[in-house]
Amino acid sequence: SWRSFCASLAHASSSETYVPELHRAPEYPFPAALEDVVEVLKILSSLKQEIVLMADSAGASLAIGAILSLPKTIRTKIKEIVLFSPWFDLSAEAPLFSQRKNSDEIISADSLRRCADVYTYRSNLKNPLVSPMFGSEKDFENFPPVFIQAGEKEILKSQIESFAHMMFRYGINCELDFWKDMPHMFQMVDEYLPQAHLAVEKVGNHIQGRE
C-alpha cells in the first residue's frame, strides 16, 4: 500500500530507496518491528552512502526508537530523518487524548489509542523507544537533523510542535513544514490533492539540498 508513495519519494529525491519488511503488531508487538529496523540500519550503515531515514505516523516513533537503539558511532552515518505526520507520544496522558475538537478527517484520538494498545503494553508507553517525547538529552546525543512535514489540520500538530521544541532544547536541528488546510498523511492521496505532489517534490528538493 505504500509502494506508490515510496516510489514518488524515490523519484523526487533521486534516491535509491529501501522499504523494509517488518514484523507488525498485534501479531508481533514491541520490540519486534524495532529490532527489524535496527538490523536494516546496521546493514545500510556498512555501505559508503548517505542514509536518510523516512517514516510516517506511528512509524515515526519506530524510526526514532531505532536510531536511539543504535550505537552512537553508527548514528553519525545517518544524514537526516524525514518524518510525515509523526506521532511522538503514545502514552495515555498525551494531550491529544483530552482534546475536545478534531479537525483532522483522517484519524481520531480513539483510533490512535487503539493503535497504541496493540503495539505494546500500557506501562511501556512512556518508554523513549516507544514514545520519543520521553527521551532525555543524553538519549539524543549524536542524533541526526530532523525534517517534519505535516498538515495544519493534524490532530498531532501540537505534539509535533512540542517535539520540535524539545529538539531545539537538545541542540538538534529540526525543521517543520506545515501545509495549510491539510489533514493527516495528505501526501498519499495525490489523485485527489494537488498539494500532495508539491509536498513530495518539496521533500525531494530538501533531501537533495536544492531549497
Side-chain angles (χ1 to χ4, degrees):
S1 59
W2 260 248
R3 185 172 297 172
S4 177
F5 178 52
C6 293
S8 296
L9 289 170
H11 176 74
S13 61
S14 298
S15 301
E16 186 174 8
T17 302
Y18 297 87
V19 183
E21 185 174 348
L22 309 177
H23 289 89
R24 296 185 294 177
E27 292 83 3
Y28 300 95
F30 176 88
L34 179 68
E35 293 171 346
D36 291 337
V37 178
V38 169
E39 186 63 26
V40 169
L41 289 176
K42 286 181 177 178
I43 294 171
L44 292 178
S45 69
S46 66
L47 306 177
K48 294 184 178 180
Q49 296 178 343
E50 291 183 327
I51 300 171
V52 176
L53 181 60
M54 310 178 81
D56 69 277
S57 198
S61 293
L62 175 61
I64 293 176
I67 296 179
L68 296 180
S69 301
L70 289 172
K72 292 182 174 60
T73 53
I74 296 182
R75 289 186 194 181
T76 59
K77 297 183 179 182
I78 299 175
K79 176 185 177 183
E80 186 174 28
I81 180 169
V82 176
L83 305 173
F84 300 90
S85 300
W87 185 13
F88 297 118
D89 183 358
L90 283 64
S91 70
E93 295 82 3
L96 69 87
F97 293 125
S98 60
Q99 292 179 15
R100 294 187 177 182
K101 294 183 179 179
N102 179 19
S103 58
D104 193 325
E105 302 95 338
I106 306 301
I107 59 172
S108 66
D110 286 340
S111 65
L112 291 173
R113 191 188 301 276
R114 288 194 296 272
C115 290
D117 285 342
V118 300
Y119 182 55
T120 190
Y121 47 94
R122 290 205 171 186
S123 60
N124 193 43
L125 291 174
K126 290 185 179 181
N127 182 339
L129 301 182
V130 175
S131 295
M133 279 299 301
F134 293 94
S136 67
E137 185 171 2
K138 185 176 181 180
D139 291 330
F140 280 90
E141 287 180 1
N142 293 342
F143 201 81
V146 182
F147 180 89
I148 300 174
Q149 187 179 83
E152 283 193 344
K153 296 172 70 176
E154 297 259 6
I155 191 175
L156 298 167
K157 184 172 185 289
S158 62
Q159 193 174 110
I160 292 169
E161 292 172 330
S162 295
F163 180 81
H165 289 309
M166 186 176 80
M167 292 293 94
F168 296 148
R169 292 198 309 272
Y170 294 168
I172 299 166
N173 182 38
C174 183
E175 183 176 344
L176 299 180
D177 181 33
F178 285 115
W179 286 65
K180 185 177 180 180
D181 297 327
M182 292 293 105
H184 184 75
M185 283 306 297
F186 70 95
Q187 300 92 335
M188 291 191 69
V189 288
D190 53 359
E191 66 269 36
Y192 301 110
L193 297 173
Q195 294 93 331
H197 292 283
L198 297 174
V200 170
E201 182 180 358
K202 184 171 183 178
V203 170
N205 288 335
H206 172 80
I207 291 174
Q208 295 190 78
R210 294 196 301 234
E211 290 186 311

